[in-house]
Amino acid sequence: MLHSSRSPGLLPCVLLTLASALGADALAQADGEVTPPTATATRQLPPVTVTARRTEERARDLPFSVSSIDASELEQRHQLQLEDVLRGLPGVEVNSFGGFGDANVRMRGVGSLFQISAEDRSVLMSLDGVTLSGRSANLAMLDVDRIEVLKGPQGTLLGSSSQAGALNISSRRPTRHLEGHGRIEFGQQGQRRIEAAVGGPLSPTLSARVALFGNQQDSDVLNLRSGRPLTEIRESGGRLSLQWQAAVRSKLLWISERQDQRGRIGMTLLRPHASPPSVDLDPAASRATNKAARHSLELQHEFAGSRLVWLSAYVPTEGGSDSCYPKNLSQAAFGTPVEICLAVDTRARAMQHELRLGSLAGAPLFWSVGLQSEEIRRHHDDAMPMSGHVGRRKFETDSHALFGEISHSLRPGTRLTAGLRHTRERKRYEASFSKTGMPDSQDLRHLNEGSSTGRLALMQALSPALNAYAVLARGHKPGGFIDYGVQVADGAALKPGHVDSLELGLKGERADRSLSATAALFINQVRDDHLLGYDVATFAAQGLNTDTRSQGLELEAAWRPTAAWTVSGGLAYTQAKILSGLTHVPGGAVPAGARVPDVPRWSGQLSLDYRQALPALLGLQAPVLRARLGYRYLGERAGDPQNHGETCLSSHQRLDARLSLENGPAELFVWASNLNGKRQELYTYYFAPGVSAGTAGSGRQLGLGASYQF
């Protein structure tokens, strides 16, 4: 039975606190929605609408945890990449080597203990409805309109590979009026960024939007051999969106996007790290490139009481990198000061199709049914010149799904939601391995599986200001093959994993929208999650399954006490442990009861925003001063599933700030990231007693910029 010995007692306290904060009227039972009294507009928080179920709905009306970050908030946070956004979310955990495409994302302690492949998605990430690779956390935030964070299994409408939750990213769409923006900024470590976007009508029925960006900066890892930064990070990209209003009720949206990135190399550095982190490495062994594109076509047609949506997408990616042990790490771990490098090259092509029919936004009865298919073709090649090893692998995945969900009012103030998805998936794995002086070996395997996921939820209006909900959901993670095997024995398929999740929550909002708050209590029971056992001496890897459990409490609130001030924040408490021990694991036995790696007991964030109109000055007719101070806390975490003492990750605190002067459409701003200067360790790994390696994040950075909107 799922249970918690500590957290459930907090729920009555949270209920009383929310009811008190939201006003005395929250204690009265409501038969339905009422029209709130007129409020002072300057104190209102903006209404939060989301598309978590592919149609516009109020976040407070959904029976699961969902939060939204809009473009303005992203700009104030100065978060330039998706990984930056994820690291600022309580209850979201990211393990990353610091390079392109190597981030493993979890939510609420649910997710792979060590990611086995690019298709190993515990958290589903989608951009404009198109599913992205599990290694897309390095995406630049180009002309983004909104990011929605959905916690808990989302396997009904969004895909079976959303075991822990999902991220919905929406770009800005073409409009029927001319508008756009431009931004340029400069910062320490040679940082320079430029972004521009413009959109508007091309004809009475056709609209377009073009967005471009370029970013460059020096790596903050020093190469002792050259005396210079290890790499120069360069990123650029663009997006073209065309929207054709074919008829009054029909429209067609075409989006093409490409991002090219190089120089952001994943690092394995001997701990403890110097300040700044440094490495003795051949500059030629610092290759890191990533190219990602996306082409999608979406057709929408509205009938009298429903909407039909057809979405097709093609997503090609390719990249290459060198993963190296520098000499000082090899000396400490193996007693030999040699440079050991593994060169990895990847290519992938994904085709996606979805046909969905559902209710219109604002309809009293929500319903959605559809079909979805995905075809993935990947190549993963690696070579280790020192040993003469060469491995070539080909992965093929074909999946087809049927899904549906409905939300129905049982009586005024009570709403029941039920959803179900059935997925069939076929995988094929083909590999060849060669090594100097040894015969080649071949491997061919197949995997076929079916899965059913879904959720059942009940939401009850306790008052016009407060809703309570309960949701029971099942999430699924497909079985698969690891990317990193170096021999035929490594090709054994992993079993599929699944999670049974229970969430109890409260969502409240004052009538004048000056205060909103949510609270969620959750328990997740995971069977057969994925773990990659890794031998640091041979680069050999083995895929394994194990069971875990996580439970905890999350709080989130936003308060605008005056027209000038806004206070917002979130707090998460999570207990996550491994239930089933494993003995024969490359890298060491995993004990039962060990903490799930990278999951802190406590994490949180708090921000203060200030906005005040100023009298005319320096020729500015309507200047506005805006300031933001953001604080993040991440508690101590285990560094690996074995819970080696050498790999424990210490707690981390971070302070960010932004100050700007606005005058109409123009803005001049300064920003500071990680003001306290302490670097967050992104991961650690055990090599030998007293020897561990890892990567540290960025130190303090300062910069300034200017923007203009029209």
Side-chain angles (χ1 to χ4, degrees), residues 598-666:
D598 304 304
V599 181
R601 291 287 174 84
W602 291 98
S603 62
Q605 63 91 13
L606 179 68
S607 65
L608 300 176
D609 286 87
Y610 178 77
R611 185 185 181 98
Q612 181 64 54
L614 303 176
L617 63 99
L618 301 176
L620 305 178
Q621 299 303 311
V624 175
L625 178 67
R626 186 166 186 178
R628 184 183 192 276
L629 187 65
Y631 169 79
R632 296 189 226 168
Y633 174 78
L634 190 67
E636 182 182 84
R637 297 98 70 208
D640 58 23
Q642 292 83 3
N643 285 194
H644 289 114
E646 291 93 334
T647 63
C648 180
L649 292 157
S650 60
S651 62
H652 178 73
Q653 300 182 64
R654 174 175 172 139
L655 200 62
D656 301 321
R658 190 179 191 273
L659 180 67
S660 67
L661 184 63
E662 303 173 359
N663 186 59

Side-chain angles (χ1 to χ4, degrees), residues 417-439:
T417 297
L420 183 66
R421 182 188 193 95
H422 183 72
T423 304
R424 296 294 305 178
E425 192 158 73
R426 180 186 65 82
K427 294 191 175 186
R428 183 177 186 271
Y429 167 70
E430 183 179 351
S432 65
F433 304 102
S434 62
K435 192 171 184 178
T436 303
M438 299 181 65

Side-chain angles (χ1 to χ4, degrees), residues 369-443:
V369 295
L371 301 166
Q372 189 179 62
S373 68
E374 185 175 23
E375 175 187 290
I376 302 174
R377 301 292 182 263
R378 294 192 301 117
H379 295 264
H380 184 104
D381 303 331
D382 55 45
M384 188 184 299
M386 176 175 288
S387 66
H389 160 82
V390 175
R392 302 185 184 279
R393 305 163 196 82
K394 181 180 180 181
F395 303 85
E396 297 182 358
T397 299
D398 295 281
S399 66
H400 305 277
L402 172 67
F403 62 85
E405 184 162 296
I406 186 170
S407 292
H408 175 63
S409 294
L410 301 178
R411 60 183 178 86
T414 304
R415 196 169 179 86
L416 178 69
T417 297
L420 183 66
R421 182 188 193 95
H422 183 72
T423 304
R424 296 294 305 178
E425 192 158 73
R426 180 186 65 82
K427 294 191 175 186
R428 183 177 186 271
Y429 167 70
E430 183 179 351
S432 65
F433 304 102
S434 62
K435 192 171 184 178
T436 303
M438 299 181 65
D440 293 356
S441 56
Q442 308 291 324
D443 194 10

Side-chain angles (χ1 to χ4, degrees), residues 298-550:
E298 181 182 83
L299 171 64
Q300 290 192 27
H301 178 76
E302 288 190 8
F303 298 101
S306 62
R307 177 187 292 113
L308 179 71
V309 179
W310 171 264
L311 175 65
S312 289
Y314 173 59
V315 184
T317 60
E318 62 179 276
S321 64
D322 295 325
S323 177
C324 298
Y325 297 161
K327 289 183 177 180
N328 60 343
L329 176 58
S330 299
Q331 174 67 52
F334 313 124
T336 304
V338 295
E339 206 167 88
I340 306 173
C341 291
L342 181 71
V344 178
D345 292 279
T346 62
R347 309 185 306 280
R349 303 290 184 268
M351 288 289 297
Q352 302 170 31
H353 306 283
E354 182 177 311
L355 179 64
R356 184 174 66 253
L357 181 66
S359 56
L360 298 176
L365 175 68
F366 169 85
W367 60 275
S368 180
V369 295
L371 301 166
Q372 189 179 62
S373 68
E374 185 175 23
E375 175 187 290
I376 302 174
R377 301 292 182 263
R378 294 192 301 117
H379 295 264
H380 184 104
D381 303 331
D382 55 45
M384 188 184 299
M386 176 175 288
S387 66
H389 160 82
V390 175
R392 302 185 184 279
R393 305 163 196 82
K394 181 180 180 181
F395 303 85
E396 297 182 358
T397 299
D398 295 281
S399 66
H400 305 277
L402 172 67
F403 62 85
E405 184 162 296
I406 186 170
S407 292
H408 175 63
S409 294
L410 301 178
R411 60 183 178 86
T414 304
R415 196 169 179 86
L416 178 69
T417 297
L420 183 66
R421 182 188 193 95
H422 183 72
T423 304
R424 296 294 305 178
E425 192 158 73
R426 180 186 65 82
K427 294 191 175 186
R428 183 177 186 271
Y429 167 70
E430 183 179 351
S432 65
F433 304 102
S434 62
K435 192 171 184 178
T436 303
M438 299 181 65
D440 293 356
S441 56
Q442 308 291 324
D443 194 10
L444 178 62
R445 302 176 190 256
H446 296 83
L447 178 66
N448 293 279
E449 65 178 61
S451 63
S452 294
T453 56
R455 61 183 163 210
L456 184 66
L458 185 67
M459 173 165 274
Q460 175 66 50
L462 303 180
S463 80
L466 187 64
N467 292 333
Y469 68 89
V471 56
L472 182 64
R474 165 159 286 202
H476 177 78
K477 178 185 294 183
F481 306 96
I482 67 174
D483 282 355
Y484 310 97
V486 296
Q487 56 189 347
V488 172
D490 299 338
L494 276 82
K495 294 185 290 187
H498 70 262
V499 58
D500 291 317
S501 174
L502 173 64
E503 180 179 336
L504 306 175
L506 296 165
K507 297 186 178 186
E509 184 178 76
R510 293 192 65 172
D512 63 359
R513 291 211 309 272
S514 63
L515 172 66
S516 65
T518 64
L521 178 71
F522 60 86
I523 306 176
N524 300 303
Q525 192 88 27
V526 185
R527 289 188 60 85
D528 293 322
D529 215 331
H530 295 167
L531 164 66
L532 187 75
Y534 177 68
D535 189 326
V536 296
T538 65
F539 284 88
Q542 180 184 3
L544 301 161
N545 292 95
T546 189
D547 301 340
T548 67
R549 183 175 66 206
S550 66

Side-chain angles (χ1 to χ4, degrees), residues 670-689:
V670 295
W671 52 266
S673 297
N674 197 16
L675 270 170
N676 48 332
K678 183 180 178 181
R679 297 172 184 267
Q680 176 185 341
E681 286 198 280
L682 305 184
Y683 86 98
T684 57
Y685 205 83
Y686 174 84
F687 274 71

Side-chain angles (χ1 to χ4, degrees), residues 121-345:
R121 296 181 295 221
S122 301
V123 176
L124 185 142
M125 291 180 275
S126 66
L127 178 55
D128 295 323
V130 178
T131 302
L132 303 175
S133 163
R135 294 180 177 162
S136 299
N138 59 287
L139 276 176
M141 294 289 92
L142 171 61
D143 203 30
V144 167
D145 179 60
R146 181 175 63 246
I147 297 177
E148 297 169 1
V149 185
L150 289 61
K151 294 181 180 178
Q154 303 294 322
T156 305
L157 299 178
L158 300 186
S160 62
S161 296
S162 52
Q163 177 195 35
L167 295 170
N168 281 343
I169 309 168
S170 300
S171 65
R172 290 176 175 169
R173 303 296 175 86
T175 60
R176 293 304 299 164
H177 59 276
L178 181 64
E179 55 93 21
H181 70 269
R183 182 181 301 109
I184 186 169
E185 59 183 79
F186 303 89
Q188 291 179 307
Q189 296 175 219
Q191 182 171 331
R192 286 171 282 178
R193 180 179 175 87
I194 185 169
E195 180 180 327
V198 60
L202 299 180
S203 75
T205 59
L206 184 64
S207 302
R209 186 176 184 89
V210 178
L212 302 168
F213 87 99
N215 180 50
Q216 65 181 59
Q217 68 180 86
D218 295 332
S219 167
D220 56 0
V221 176
L222 179 67
N223 192 336
L224 298 176
R225 195 170 301 183
S226 65
R228 298 178 53 81
L230 180 64
T231 62
E232 294 181 346
I233 300 170
R234 300 291 184 267
E235 300 172 288
S236 61
R239 179 189 301 128
L240 170 65
S241 305
L242 295 171
Q243 184 165 287
W244 177 40
Q245 193 72 42
V248 175
R249 292 178 175 270
S250 302
K251 61 182 178 182
L252 193 68
L253 176 66
W254 170 268
I255 300 177
S256 283
E257 177 176 1
R258 180 183 174 92
Q259 292 194 18
D260 290 353
Q261 303 168 309
R262 62 183 176 90
R264 195 181 297 275
I265 187 171
M267 295 302 305
T268 307
L269 305 178
L270 182 66
R271 300 171 72 222
H273 305 304
S275 183
S278 57
V279 62
D280 182 359
L281 189 65
D282 181 357
S286 303
R287 179 180 62 110
T289 63
N290 184 58
K291 297 179 180 179
R294 172 177 63 102
H295 310 283
S296 66
L297 181 66
E298 181 182 83
L299 171 64
Q300 290 192 27
H301 178 76
E302 288 190 8
F303 298 101
S306 62
R307 177 187 292 113
L308 179 71
V309 179
W310 171 264
L311 175 65
S312 289
Y314 173 59
V315 184
T317 60
E318 62 179 276
S321 64
D322 295 325
S323 177
C324 298
Y325 297 161
K327 289 183 177 180
N328 60 343
L329 176 58
S330 299
Q331 174 67 52
F334 313 124
T336 304
V338 295
E339 206 167 88
I340 306 173
C341 291
L342 181 71
V344 178
D345 292 279

